[in-house]
Amino acid sequence: MVVSAALPAELHALISRHWGIEELRPLQAPAMQAVLSGRDSLVVLPTGGGKSLCYQAPAVLRGDTTVVISPLISLMKDQVDALRSCGIKAVKLDSSETLDDRLANAQEIRNGTVSLVFVSPERLIQTDLGDLFREINVRTFAIDEAHCISHWGHDFRPEYRQLARLKDMFPQASVHAYTATATEHVRRDIVEQLRLADPEILVGDFDRPNLKYRVWQRRDAMRQALEVIDRFRREAGIIYCLRRADVDRLASSLRKQGIKAMPYHAGMEPEDRKATQEAFIAEQCDVVVATVAFGMGIDRSNVRYVLHVGMPKSLEHYQQEAGRAGRDGLEAECILLYSGADFFTWKSIIERSASEPGVDPSFLTGSLKHLRDVDNYCRGASCRHAALVRYFGQDYDSPSCEACDLCLGETVGVPDAQVIAQKILSCVARVNQRFGVSHVVSVLRGENTQNIRAKGHEKLSTYGLLRDNRSEDIREWVYQLIGQDALVQADLEISEGMTVPILKLNSKSLEVMRGQREVRLLQPVAPRKAEPRGKRKDDDSLSDGAEKDLFEELRALRRRLATERNVPPYVIFSDVTLRELCRTRPSTLESMRRIYGIGDAKLRDLGDQFLKAVQDFCARNGLDTDA
Ligand code: ADP
Ligand code: MG
Ligand code: ZN
């Protein structure tokens, strides 16, 4: 075990004993040190970075009670279940408790045997709890999802504002804030709002190397979604749509194809939403089609892909939503289906909401900037990992991430981009800059439509110039030219108050036409077919055949136990642990204890059942044990 100089050796032993974890992740050691020494702290680590352990392990070591503030009851329940399964005493205090629970919990807390108490912010500031916590002399507060306190975050919760009083209520205690939100603005806000005193600020590396990022041109969202789902059969995924209607439509089309996809959006009845969420967490459903309303409170760690059917409205949103993939650190994929039209859809939505009375004018400029940033990301021609990390203010040194469409050579520049661009721009000129994308595309394609004949556009010299290209491609290139400012989309007033979007040239268009300015157009290399999985050098993937079959059996056992105990499956064991069980196939409890995620409590509680399952499988299939 790597022992960090600053941390007591007992802490490492305790982490191994309870969590079956032998090595700390980056910044966990200093974050724990801050808790142990009672210095306020702000810890910013990406999703899946292991923030919980930073306050949980010190709480157990100190033997007193740490109070954890968490925004959602479902999150609290899962955390409490997870801690108990590791043999740690934890309770939650929330509005769902009965009076009896409340009294029993209060008594336990008073006895001083509870290591972690989870509360909602509104509950915390009620006097009875304040008194209780003072009575047992609480010295440590952990604020989870601390960005909820900031207006600038993506998930502001007014209740969190009340935490500003924490320092007055408990002047002796240290306060520790945890978030995955990478923006500087939000961080400053957290420190100010919570009035952290000379805090230790620890900001982790934001890259998520286990995520593979891809941006695909959207051609047929349904077909593309099916392709992805097919590639990840029996694995969990989230599909994000922009609108509720899209969610309903896509979910029902997928169900018609025999895929058990469940919808989730804010327009659904609360019990239907709850049903989707619970089925997903319990691994009874693997595909959720949702709006951005879905996500927080979903700690399912083995989400293997997140597919965006449309462009999100900011990179902050994208990072948050895509970040729900691969929390367990295993490989996962984030795919964004993009069309240049998404920018304009969002722009008009934003402009509409900005024109409502009482909206701060800075909202419009801020939102449009966010929109342009995410649009640039989608059009981007260099590494996606680098682009994301740099957007959040960090450096990215590696020349290739080997985990994005661009570095993997899946999206490439169109070789004759310049000529194609010139054809498109001349066509815009020929139709006198009075027509929109669709018309220009049909002229270039040489289509024989009523509209074209009526205008006599079949006689133009640009008619049919791009006859050999697909209209989706041409349309996409038009948007790419707009993105490079070599073409403009403007409004043409056709009657009083009625406008239609048309394409116009600007000075840069003329430079491109004269060959004085270079443009770049992108295109996917080939339609992606089922990609052989496990070909990655990644050493924690399973080999095909027996190992994967064993994995499915262990997963079924996990699901059964989870249902019996009414806890999420990942509270039993994570996929990482199951995979290691499949690879090593232990024959004794002793060798099982060495596996990641199996501490003493879980070994006692679950060891025999999983050992038997592994042994039975090996006997049936003539497989070696203790590999
Ligand atoms: P976050 O809150 O930062 O998104 P979590 O605290 O939920 O992340 O941790 C994500 C997963 O990583 C959990 O399954 C946790 O047990 C695991 N984990 C935490 N620390 C380590 C570590 N040092 N080594 C391996 N796994 C870890
Ligand atoms: Mg967390
Ligand atoms: Zn890359």
Side-chain angles (χ1 to χ4, degrees), residues 50-262:
K51 292 182 283 294
S52 328
L53 198 63
C54 298
Y55 55 84
Q56 293 175 345
V60 179
L61 182 74
R62 284 166 58 147
D64 60 359
T65 305
T66 290
V67 174
V68 185
I69 289 95
S70 178
L72 293 178
I73 294 177
S74 62
L75 274 181
M76 288 186 215
K77 177 188 178 296
D78 293 351
Q79 290 226 42
V80 168
D81 287 341
L83 283 163
R84 288 186 181 159
S85 77
C86 295
I88 294 162
K89 200 132 186 206
V91 298
K92 67 178 169 59
L93 304 173
D94 64 58
S95 47
S96 71
E97 303 165 283
T98 62
L99 186 63
D100 281 352
D101 289 345
R102 222 176 264 200
L103 291 174
N105 282 335
Q107 193 49 51
E108 267 197 296
I109 293 169
R110 215 167 260 125
N111 293 343
T113 56
V114 179
S115 295
L116 293 133
V117 177
F118 291 79
V119 290
S120 59
E122 57 276 24
R123 191 75 182 83
L124 174 70
I125 54 143
Q126 288 168 6
T127 44
D128 60 325
L129 270 195
D131 292 344
L132 178 60
F133 292 154
R134 258 185 297 275
E135 196 181 316
I136 59 162
N137 190 22
V138 171
R139 288 179 299 167
T140 319
F141 287 89
I143 322 284
D144 205 6
E145 312 289 350
H147 57 273
C148 292
I149 204 168
S150 173
H151 276 306
W152 303 101
H154 49 83
D155 196 20
F156 173 61
R157 292 181 173 244
E159 320 84 78
Y160 260 64
R161 284 282 154 133
Q162 302 172 338
L163 295 175
R165 290 170 51 198
L166 203 55
K167 280 280 177 186
D168 287 334
M169 291 170 70
F170 301 92
Q172 310 300 330
S174 65
V175 175
H176 307 274
Y178 302 86
T179 180
T181 301
T183 49
E184 180 65 36
H185 206 149
V186 175
R187 274 180 230 159
R188 271 203 308 270
D189 215 17
I190 294 171
V191 171
E192 270 169 38
Q193 296 283 333
L194 288 173
R195 293 194 277 136
L196 300 184
D198 179 32
E200 169 97 285
I201 297 183
L202 299 164
V203 180
D205 183 348
F206 268 85
D207 188 37
R208 302 268 315 270
N210 62 317
L211 301 187
K212 197 184 272 175
Y213 295 109
R214 291 182 156 134
V215 181
W216 293 351
Q217 192 177 317
R218 183 168 66 243
R219 297 170 187 281
D220 174 347
M222 172 67 188
R223 192 180 52 68
Q224 288 171 300
L226 278 172
E227 207 175 286
V228 174
I229 294 169
D230 193 48
R231 195 147 51 79
F232 287 94
R233 213 169 312 149
R234 290 192 294 202
E235 307 270 24
I238 305 173
I239 302 180
Y240 282 109
C241 301
L242 302 189
R243 284 170 295 244
R244 296 172 186 182
D246 299 337
V247 168
D248 293 332
R249 209 171 316 121
L250 186 59
S252 82
S253 317
L254 288 174
R255 273 200 306 276
K256 280 188 201 123
Q257 299 280 326
I259 289 153
K260 204 181 155 211
M262 293 176 78

Side-chain angles (χ1 to χ4, degrees), residues 205-340:
D205 183 348
F206 268 85
D207 188 37
R208 302 268 315 270
N210 62 317
L211 301 187
K212 197 184 272 175
Y213 295 109
R214 291 182 156 134
V215 181
W216 293 351
Q217 192 177 317
R218 183 168 66 243
R219 297 170 187 281
D220 174 347
M222 172 67 188
R223 192 180 52 68
Q224 288 171 300
L226 278 172
E227 207 175 286
V228 174
I229 294 169
D230 193 48
R231 195 147 51 79
F232 287 94
R233 213 169 312 149
R234 290 192 294 202
E235 307 270 24
I238 305 173
I239 302 180
Y240 282 109
C241 301
L242 302 189
R243 284 170 295 244
R244 296 172 186 182
D246 299 337
V247 168
D248 293 332
R249 209 171 316 121
L250 186 59
S252 82
S253 317
L254 288 174
R255 273 200 306 276
K256 280 188 201 123
Q257 299 280 326
I259 289 153
K260 204 181 155 211
M262 293 176 78
Y264 188 104
H265 58 69
M268 285 161 51
E269 294 298 326
E271 57 275 23
D272 295 336
R273 258 184 318 192
K274 194 160 166 233
T276 298
Q277 175 157 338
E278 287 180 352
F280 188 67
I281 291 174
E283 304 198 351
Q284 280 144 8
C285 149
D286 285 328
V287 183
V288 169
V289 185
T291 60
V292 296
F294 182 76
M296 169 107 109
I298 309 296
D299 261 4
R300 182 166 177 176
S301 64
N302 58 355
V303 174
R304 294 272 75 86
Y305 63 95
V306 171
L307 171 65
H308 279 76
V309 168
M311 181 178 85
K313 65 176 163 185
S314 72
L315 280 174
E316 281 81 355
H317 282 87
Y318 189 60
Q319 193 224 20
Q320 201 67 30
E321 290 150 24
R324 301 205 164 102
R327 291 176 76 114
D328 52 14
L330 298 174
E331 76 292 339
E333 216 170 296
C334 306
I335 302 164
L336 196 164
L337 300 186
Y338 170 79
S339 156

Side-chain angles (χ1 to χ4, degrees), residues 383-385 400-404 406-407:
C383 178
R384 313 269 181 210
H385 278 267
S400 162
C401 71
E402 291 178 50
C404 80
L406 294 156
C407 292

Side-chain angles (χ1 to χ4, degrees), residues 84 132 148 150 156 173 176 250 274 289-290 304 358 364-366 393 449 465 471 480 485 495 529 542 557:
R84 288 186 181 159
L132 178 60
C148 292
S150 173
F156 173 61
H176 307 274
L250 186 59
K274 194 160 166 233
V289 185
R304 294 272 75 86
L364 182 63
T365 38
T449 65
L465 271 186
S471 21
Q480 289 181 19
D485 201 20
S495 63
K529 291 198 216 58
L542 294 175
L557 172 61

Side-chain angles (χ1 to χ4, degrees), residues 413-434:
V414 179
D416 41 0
Q418 201 69 22
V419 176
I420 290 175
Q422 287 167 345
K423 290 177 177 173
I424 293 172
L425 298 174
S426 332
C427 190
V428 173
R430 292 281 171 244
V431 300
N432 290 326
Q433 310 185 48
R434 292 183 63 83

